[in-house]
Amino acid sequence: MIFHDVFEPPFVIGGALHPKDNCGELYRLDASKKEIYSAANAELAHCTSGVAVRFVTDADKITVRDRLSHVIDGMHHFTHRGVRGLDFLTGSGTDRRYCGAMMQTFAENTDTNEGELSLNCGETEVEILLPLYSGVSSLEIGIPEGASLKAPPERSMKPIAFYGSSITQGGCASRPGTAFANIVCRFFDADCINLGFSGSAFGESSVAEYLAGRETSLFVMDYVFNSRSLEELQTTHYPFYRVFRDSHPDTPVLFCTHPRVWPDTEYDRQRTETVEATYLKAIAGGDRNVYLLHGEDYFPAEMRDLCMVDYLHPNDLGMYFMAKAMIGKIKAILANS
């Protein structure tokens, strides 16, 4: 095997700025401005949720060697595969297939992990989805001597951006590929700019300003649940949207309320009304490219409790239904754009 650093050509990094453009770090925010972010956001930005590495090879097998950092351990409701595992897909465009190995983890510890993966499909594009709740300090791909290694084709559409809570970051998917944001982006063959921050998405202007500087085809604003009070949500929700809209006047914005399986409480109604108020205010201000998706519409009525891990975070089934609802909505948005 000849090992190659994925931070060098011909590998392509998607979903985050390339480390060469971000102080040498694979980091979901601006690594040169860590002091402007909340302590929680600055730490969680090391987690590589949504980040993907792509390349093309005709190798029958590859060896993967990673070194993790900033692992968020000790979560009893979340599998190690979801926290610090890697996912592998082969294929191109919207036709990609999971190709993980039997009992695959690539997630045993925070030191160097190494594993072999069989491809056996001729020349193909390989996509590696990085961990949801861990950072990656190095990643090397071993290619057999004589096998080809090339850059992948461009994506079908520009990145889709997401901002929200732990659910947006990927909790509690069993592996990176089953997080709803990754499912959505796989369907549309788009890079995933995942700005989900577990327990710490409070409508921060610093995150809004970072997002405003990224190129996107659509923005899913999933911010509602983590606000520490109704007043905070009411104070920050519309301004967050406004920062993005001022820099992206023509990009569709999809407002979402939080997923739930329980009956509405007054707490839920007030927060839903706040998201609706932003949507209606945007329309009243002349914005005809905003849309609304209600979280209570994510899950089917029959046995909908099967979609949750802990009455709050979706499991893989819940993530699938969330993605399915968003995909349907986004398809309609794009058809009308």
Side-chain angles (χ1 to χ4, degrees):
M1 291 290 180
I2 300 174
F3 281 88
H4 303 265
D5 184 348
V6 302
F7 299 153
E8 300 292 340
F11 298 93
V12 170
I13 306 291
L17 296 175
H18 196 284
K20 289 184 176 180
D21 301 319
N22 206 18
C23 301
E25 295 186 65
L26 195 54
Y27 194 73
R28 290 188 293 147
L29 294 170
D30 187 339
S32 70
K33 299 179 178 178
K34 291 181 181 179
E35 71 282 354
I36 74 171
Y37 304 119
S38 69
N41 285 356
E43 178 69 14
L44 288 166
H46 288 283
C47 299
T48 51
S49 182
V51 182
V53 176
R54 297 186 299 125
F55 59 98
V56 172
T57 185
D58 62 1
D60 289 335
K61 61 182 178 181
I62 61 175
T63 299
V64 182
R65 179 188 294 163
D66 70 13
R67 183 178 291 275
L68 302 183
S69 66
H70 300 85
V71 178
I72 312 298
D73 257 333
M75 291 188 286
H76 55 273
H77 58 321
F78 207 165
T79 70
H80 282 182
R81 278 284 283 120
V83 170
R84 47 189 176 176
L86 308 177
D87 264 9
F88 301 86
L89 306 175
T90 56
S92 61
T94 58
D95 184 18
R96 300 177 191 269
R97 301 286 180 89
Y98 175 67
C99 66
M102 190 75 71
M103 300 299 290
Q104 171 197 310
T105 63
F106 293 105
E108 285 86 353
N109 53 58
T110 58
D111 203 348
T112 299
N113 300 303
E114 185 173 311
E116 188 175 279
L117 191 69
S118 296
L119 300 179
N120 296 315
C121 47
E123 184 173 272
T124 186
E125 181 182 337
V126 179
E127 179 176 12
I128 305 175
L129 302 177
L130 300 191
L132 301 173
Y133 273 70
S134 301
V136 173
S137 57
S138 68
L139 178 61
E140 296 175 301
I141 305 298
I143 305 290
E145 186 173 4
S148 66
L149 179 62
K150 300 189 295 187
E154 292 188 3
R155 292 287 202 183
S156 301
M157 62 187 286
K158 292 187 295 184
I160 300 174
F162 300 81
Y163 173 69
S165 66
S166 57
I167 298 172
T168 307
Q169 186 172 337
C172 295
S174 65
R175 56 183 177 87
T178 59
F180 82 82
N182 281 340
I183 298 173
V184 170
C185 290
R186 173 179 169 177
F187 182 90
F188 291 103
D189 186 33
D191 282 327
C192 177
I193 300 176
N194 190 318
L195 297 178
F197 296 99
S198 187
S200 56
F202 303 137
E204 303 92 343
S205 60
S206 57
V207 177
E209 289 161 4
Y210 171 79
L211 177 59
R214 298 299 305 274
E215 183 181 34
T216 62
S217 61
L218 183 136
F219 171 36
V220 179
M221 187 168 165
D222 193 31
Y223 162 55
V224 56
F225 194 82
N226 277 13
S227 52
R228 290 159 290 197
S229 67
L230 177 63
E231 181 181 13
E232 180 179 65
L233 180 63
Q234 292 171 335
T235 302
T236 58
H237 198 271
Y238 181 83
F240 194 103
Y241 146 78
R242 195 66 252 174
V243 170
F244 179 82
R245 175 55 81 220
D246 288 346
S247 294
H248 297 271
D250 302 316
T251 301
V253 176
L254 175 59
F255 298 111
C256 300
T257 64
H258 64 280
R260 59 185 183 273
V261 299
W262 57 88
D264 273 353
T265 65
E266 184 63 19
Y267 172 91
D268 296 318
R269 284 191 291 271
Q270 290 174 332
R271 288 172 182 255
T272 296
E273 288 167 0
T274 301
V275 177
E276 291 171 340
T278 293
Y279 169 70
L280 294 173
K281 186 175 180 179
I283 291 176
D287 193 337
R288 295 296 179 266
N289 214 1
V290 290
Y291 307 87
L292 182 63
L293 182 61
H294 283 285
E296 64 266 27
D297 296 332
Y298 287 141
F299 308 130
E302 184 179 7
M303 293 187 284
R304 61 193 300 152
D305 57 296
L306 297 180
C307 293
M308 307 297 272
V309 168
D310 54 6
Y311 216 54
L312 174 62
H313 298 90
N315 55 23
D316 285 354
L317 183 63
M319 289 285 184
Y320 168 76
F321 280 118
M322 286 185 67
K324 184 178 181 181
M326 286 189 188
I327 288 168
K329 190 74 172 183
I330 293 170
K331 286 172 66 176
I333 291 170
L334 297 177
N336 293 327
S337 297

